[in-house]
Amino acid sequence: MLTLSDGILFSFQISAPHNYLWGFCGVSEITDSEYMALAVQAAQKGNGHTWTNPMVGAVIVKQQHVLAVGYHHRFGEAHAEIDALNQLASSADARGATMYVTLEPCSHFGKTPPCAKRLVSVGLRRVVIGQIDPNPLVAGKGIAILRTAGIAVEILATTQGLNPAYNFFYQHQRPQVTLKYAMSLDGKINAAQKHAVISPDQRLTEIASNCGQRIRL
């Protein structure tokens, strides 16, 4: 059970093992941001499995009911939007619905067909996007496909923190690198002309010491 700011979210199974209908109790109106939070939560299930693709989650909502929740499970498999559509008993259930997706739907053929065109084909009424895709292969093209088809598109710009390394790569044209090392209070990682002992095993110590003499920050 998930508690939202102004109500309680509950779920119950209605048909197939992966087909769930979500309802809200004691809530007058759920905001776009709260639905997007569900999509973010779903996206995080793919953490560690989607690289070099980003983590993405999608939620399909119709008449204040969450019909399906999907996410990108792993690299090379269905994108989040398609995974959510696959949870429906019929794609016809998506007609007139709103999809919340953490990243702009793709517009190109890669390992999978363009998600934006699939969303058009199922008759969605509205798509709420957490972030424009910085990948130049997409970068607004998915949004253009949706709007050209008459689908209302809103961009919240709230999910950039979901994939910081992915965003950094396309913004700076280089990978994001994290370096962790131990140093003294004066900023040194080794004493001058001395080797640091990091293992009681002499062979490993010698290897580490030799490498340490070649590495200086």
Side-chain angles (χ1 to χ4, degrees), residues 19-39:
N19 191 358
Y20 292 88
L21 175 67
W22 299 70
F24 291 96
C25 177
V27 178
S28 57
E29 184 176 355
I30 306 304
T31 67
D32 286 344
S33 294
E34 287 169 325
Y35 284 127
M36 188 60 72
L38 292 180

Side-chain angles (χ1 to χ4, degrees), residues 72-99:
H72 184 36
H73 290 240
R74 56 185 54 83
F75 179 77
E77 296 189 1
H79 290 184
E81 303 94 319
I82 308 307
D83 186 56
L85 289 172
N86 288 343
Q87 310 306 314
L88 300 174
S90 168
S91 60
D93 294 338
R95 184 164 298 278
T98 295
M99 176 175 284

Side-chain angles (χ1 to χ4, degrees), residues 42 48 76 204 208:
L204 293 178

Side-chain angles (χ1 to χ4, degrees), residues 129-210:
I129 296 170
Q131 178 198 345
I132 296 175
D133 194 334
N135 184 340
L137 290 174
V138 187
K141 299 180 183 70
I143 293 171
I145 290 173
L146 298 175
R147 285 177 171 164
T148 299
I151 297 175
V153 177
E154 295 186 38
I155 304 165
L156 299 185
T158 57
T159 59
Q160 290 88 339
L162 185 59
N163 296 288
Y166 178 81
N167 292 325
F168 185 93
F169 177 81
Y170 286 110
Q171 290 166 359
H172 302 281
Q173 289 74 55
R174 58 186 174 87
Q176 184 183 53
V177 177
T178 300
L179 174 65
K180 181 179 180 180
Y181 69 97
M183 68 177 184
S184 59
L185 291 176
D186 60 355
K188 301 298 189 299
I189 63 171
N190 203 1
Q193 306 301 321
K194 292 184 180 180
H195 301 318
V197 178
I198 60 172
S199 170
D201 186 304
Q202 185 60 37
R203 183 175 63 84
L204 293 178
T205 300
E206 290 175 357
I207 294 173
S209 297
N210 290 335

